[in-house]
Amino acid sequence: MKPSFSIITIQFQSQSSTMGIRFSSFRSNLTGSTLGELPESCVASIIGYMDPPQICQLATLNRAFRAASSADFVWESKLPPNYHLLLAKIFHHFPINLGKRDIYASLCRLNTIDDGTKKVWIDRATGKLCLAISANKGLSVLGVDDRRYWNYIITEESRFNTVAYLQHTWWFEVDGEVDFPFPAGTYSLFFRIHLGQAYKRFGRRVCNTEHVHGWDKKPVRFQLWTSDGQYVASQCFLKGTGNWTFYHAGDFTVEDGNSSTKVKFSMTQIDCTHTKGGLCLDSAFIYPSEFKKSKSFLNCS
């Protein structure tokens, strides 16, 4: 027999395609004993429609909701379909007896892979996979070891605590490659760039633009290739100083999440009629393409 929901009032609110729950309706229509009498399976079925942050909030209501919020089948639906492959790729030794909620929490952390050159995590609210590749050893930067042109700068503004700073060059070229079992879906690749060098002065953040030049003369060219034959190219001018900007390099689609996808990408400005400089290169990011609408920091050009 299906449980009757006449004893409770649950009001779902749809805002920006996200299902929410109004906690006041619980408090005004339910007593503590009534909540405790709800079958755990019934509660679990309800909260299975919520997103992970809401499930964690509901877990604080009482013992029944706390127990239901730990149910494996609730969190199984939130995990990426190929999470077993992700665990094998990210963790060398992962406990096999962990519940699905703990697995979800582990994947939400900033997990470091490939000798510290990459970080991978799933977004807490959506369960979608994200990946970052450091400019320090993770990307191939032409001439980066020549201190006449490039320097590494330690900063708290990077997930990797280090960025590559270009003073000046004639030939600007950055290449990258990643081979990873991305869950099926469409992804966007970005370069995180800062024109000018940020630093702290008397506790305030300031930007040194002394070396910024050349980026307004010719556009930067972005290219992206995948192992299954996808290719995209675009170009734009780098502009603005003082803020980190995500420049969109291109999109790619993963059809089969049960196999690894190799992605190669590049960013170049090789017109040798002029020099360019004053650029901080943090890393390359791969995000689900829908984040371009939902994440305000992706202020890509």
Side-chain angles (χ1 to χ4, degrees):
M1 178 182 297
K2 294 184 179 180
S4 173
F5 291 94
S6 60
I7 61 171
I8 63 174
T9 301
I10 298 176
Q11 181 172 354
F12 294 98
Q13 297 175 318
S14 176
Q15 184 175 3
S16 300
S17 299
T18 301
M19 183 172 291
I21 189 165
R22 180 174 295 172
F23 292 100
S24 61
S25 61
F26 280 103
R27 297 192 181 96
S28 62
N29 293 278
L30 297 171
T31 65
S33 59
T34 305
L35 275 173
E37 293 172 0
L38 279 174
E40 183 179 320
S41 60
C42 173
V43 176
S45 297
I46 296 171
I47 65 177
Y49 290 97
M50 311 298 162
D51 61 36
Q54 292 168 338
I55 293 174
C56 293
Q57 289 178 334
L58 284 172
T60 64
L61 286 179
N62 68 7
R63 183 178 300 175
F65 277 81
R66 184 164 58 252
S69 68
S70 300
D72 273 355
F73 82 87
V74 170
W75 289 97
E76 180 98 32
S77 65
K78 310 303 176 185
L79 286 164
N82 67 341
Y83 73 90
H84 292 97
L85 291 178
L86 299 181
L87 294 177
K89 179 73 173 181
I90 297 171
F91 305 102
H92 295 296
H93 303 287
F94 194 82
I96 61 175
N97 58 343
L98 285 184
K100 297 300 188 296
R101 184 181 65 174
D102 293 327
I103 292 175
Y104 191 93
S106 297
L107 290 174
C108 283
R109 301 188 187 106
L110 281 178
N111 297 292
T112 302
I113 61 173
D114 294 350
D115 299 322
T117 61
K118 300 179 182 68
K119 292 184 183 293
V120 60
W121 68 99
I122 61 173
D123 181 68
R124 291 182 182 274
T126 64
K128 301 289 187 177
L129 185 128
C130 309
L131 188 143
I133 306 136
S134 171
N136 184 7
K137 309 302 181 183
L139 299 175
S140 176
V141 183
L142 184 68
V144 74
D145 294 324
D146 192 329
R147 294 298 176 260
R148 293 174 300 173
Y149 308 112
W150 287 88
N151 287 295
Y152 285 115
I153 299 175
I154 297 175
T155 174
E156 296 178 352
E157 296 185 357
S158 169
R159 294 179 186 270
F160 298 93
N161 299 317
T162 304
V163 298
Y165 178 68
L166 171 66
Q167 297 184 76
H168 69 94
T169 189
W170 291 90
W171 187 291
F172 176 77
E173 182 174 357
V174 179
D175 298 289
E177 180 178 323
V178 61
D179 196 349
F180 197 82
F182 293 97
T186 303
Y187 296 85
S188 298
L189 189 140
F190 302 86
F191 284 93
R192 187 172 186 253
I193 294 170
H194 189 294
L195 290 185
Q197 182 181 350
Y199 63 96
K200 290 290 184 66
R201 183 179 183 183
F202 303 119
R204 298 181 61 184
R205 184 183 187 274
V206 294
C207 180
N208 181 358
T209 61
E210 175 186 2
H211 299 123
V212 178
H213 69 283
W215 304 110
D216 57 344
K217 298 183 181 299
K218 294 287 184 179
V220 169
R221 180 174 175 81
F222 300 99
Q223 295 184 88
L224 183 151
W225 304 261
T226 67
S227 52
D228 60 357
Q230 299 177 66
Y231 172 75
V232 63
S234 62
Q235 60 183 23
C236 73
F237 287 93
L238 305 188
K239 54 188 178 181
T241 58
N243 294 303
W244 288 103
T245 303
F246 285 81
Y247 287 91
H248 182 213
D251 298 341
F252 63 96
T253 300
V254 176
E255 299 288 350
D256 182 10
N258 293 316
S259 60
S260 190
T261 300
K262 181 179 289 187
V263 183
K264 294 184 178 181
F265 50 92
S266 69
M267 175 176 60
T268 57
Q269 214 287 27
I270 56 178
D271 186 332
C272 294
T273 61
H274 66 283
T275 63
K276 39 264 175 188
L279 176 146
C280 281
L281 175 62
D282 173 28
S283 47
F285 283 83
I286 296 177
Y287 287 118
S289 291
E290 61 261 37
F291 281 16
K292 287 186 289 185
K293 294 182 179 180
S294 62
K295 304 293 184 180
S296 60
F297 60 85
L298 295 179
N299 51 347
C300 52
S301 298

